[in-house]
Amino acid sequence: MKRIPALLPSLLLTLAACGTQPAQSTASTSLTWAVETQPLTFNPQLWAQNKARLLVFNQFDALLSRGEDGSFQPWLAKAWKVSDDGLTYTLDLREDVTFHDGTKFDAAAVKANFEQFLVPGYNPAVASIQLKSFAKAEVASPYRVKVTLKTPDALFPDFLASPYAGQVSPKSLKSAKDLKFGGPDLVGTGPFILDRYVQGQEVRYRRNPAYNWPPARAAHQGPAHLAEITYRFLPEAAVRVGALTSGQVQVIEGVPATEVALIKKDPNLTLQTSLNSGTAYSYYFNTSHAPFDDKRVREAFREAVDVDAVLASVYQGTATRAWSIVGKRSPFYDATLEKSFGGDVAKANALLDAAGWKERDAEGFRVKDGKRLTVREVASAPFVRDRRDILAQAIQAQVKQNAGIDFQVKIVDQGTAQKALEEGEYELFGNSRGDSDAGAALNLLLPGKAAINRTHFADPHLDEWLAAAASTGDRKELYGKVQQAVVREHAIVFPLYVPADQIAASKSVQGLGFDPASGTPAGAYDVRLGT
């Protein structure tokens, strides 16, 4: 059996010195940051919103970290080794780490965190993907934990460096009032302590004065520079920008395309941007019933949209066109798919004619057997970002005008959206995944029995390729086959754009940046106020 992780070191690694500059003065400083999305949960092990990722690593630390080059680096695990058969991971832990509640971080704590994922219903998606090969965690010594896998798994190292591996105090795992939501009583080891949460308004963190165990890539050691940071939930883009330009906040994320020029022209502001990792924002066609049970209709929908024109209109030249389910930032991206579909109106109409949608009603929509060619999307409001509602409206107009398709979009609360998805009351599902390893997203979305397979499409070849990629070093070739199958051969996915994050800030704010694993804004550990 082949060794899996080409990127993971097979020899015991030792912890290098963290950062390049000493801790700054701990004088009282505070910062206010406006964010687009309010988290559905503050529990890192249940994290799901890419936009909310920046909050997780304020309060929690993972076992490993990712470097700028994508390599795995030390964090709470100062060193590790992998057995020759890829089945055993031995993690040597830092001995100087304490949870916010005073509990000592040790091998027993890591074991408890692993075993929490075995609790039925806790996080079935992670249990079935990133931890599908997990067998057991054992305490080898007070600060050494031995993790045994059932089979070699290329996704396991990524788990160790993800928010899912955010270490929670075993005491608070048992005592938290609302474990699934988290909050102030769910305790981590991070550089900040969650001090206050006001639903719909803000969350405030205060500095952990004992913190001295940042990830290897950190720019300094010791406690965070900021004494306090408050994140305000401002979902309206114009409100966020107005709060920044008026000085009510010092940092915002989610800068709309319409305001980029304004930010760039202001000498007192800075702007940074980064593509996200994982999957592109795509429409997934529900193949379980009409009309998208017919490949011709799926292809017609894609051909009816001039994606470049739509993106230019909605994002004013700031969006990156997607051609595959995998985003361009990923090393697994298949560039041969570029310019392989979309924007051919004549082809769209010929395909619909061939599929039997030849007649039109009084409003110009195609009909067959007395039924209109209707496509429904039910989107969950907490996951609507990047003006995706405006994007849907632009696509809605194009498919109506170019092909007579009735595209209906509803933005609803999470419960209503989940109910519609579970009951199959949709034809189209919009999604992007921020997993730092695109393989995790592919395994969640594409296998026949995948946790969020919204296409209801099953192909034994896809399942075979994805399974093989988990235990072989040749992942690029296998994921390339997957991309070709779902985009070109079966047309179950309509890639639209590669999500990106933006940070705009007052020039007095320094140390801002992006998480190298995800491309999303990094936590506030290295952020400081200066001149």
Side-chain angles (χ1 to χ4, degrees), residues 311-329:
L311 296 181
S313 172
V314 177
Y315 301 110
Q316 300 185 10
T318 64
T320 299
R321 169 80 184 265
W323 291 100
S324 175
I325 181 175
V326 174
K328 286 189 175 182
R329 195 171 184 268

Side-chain angles (χ1 to χ4, degrees), residues 334-356:
D334 185 354
T336 67
L337 288 167
E338 293 181 5
K339 303 188 185 304
S340 63
F341 63 87
D344 189 334
V345 175
K347 182 178 179 180
N349 284 283
L351 285 165
L352 291 176
D353 287 343

Side-chain angles (χ1 to χ4, degrees), residues 17 20 33 71 152 174 254 256 265 288 347 385 427 436 449 500:
T20 57
W33 184 326
S71 64
K174 296 179 180 179
K265 288 179 181 179
S288 67
K347 182 178 179 180
R385 53 171 285 193
E427 285 72 46
S436 52
K449 296 183 179 180

Side-chain angles (χ1 to χ4, degrees), residues 14-97:
T14 55
L15 179 63
C18 294
T20 57
Q21 66 180 50
Q24 302 296 306
S25 168
T26 56
S28 179
T29 52
S30 62
L31 181 139
T32 304
W33 184 326
V35 294
E36 182 177 7
T37 304
Q38 178 172 301
L40 292 171
T41 175
F42 287 94
N43 182 333
Q45 297 170 354
L46 301 177
W47 161 83
Q49 299 155 286
N50 212 32
K51 277 289 203 177
R53 185 181 178 124
L54 79 161
L55 303 178
V56 173
F57 287 139
N58 283 333
Q59 188 180 3
F60 301 93
D61 299 320
L63 294 168
L64 302 182
S65 64
R66 298 293 285 268
E68 295 294 339
D69 61 356
S71 64
F72 292 96
Q73 299 181 352
W75 199 349
L76 293 184
K78 64 182 180 180
W80 67 97
K81 64 180 178 181
V82 186
S83 63
D84 289 340
D85 60 8
L87 295 178
T88 303
Y89 288 70
T90 302
L91 307 174
D92 284 345
L93 309 175
R94 295 188 64 130
E95 301 177 15
D96 59 346
V97 178

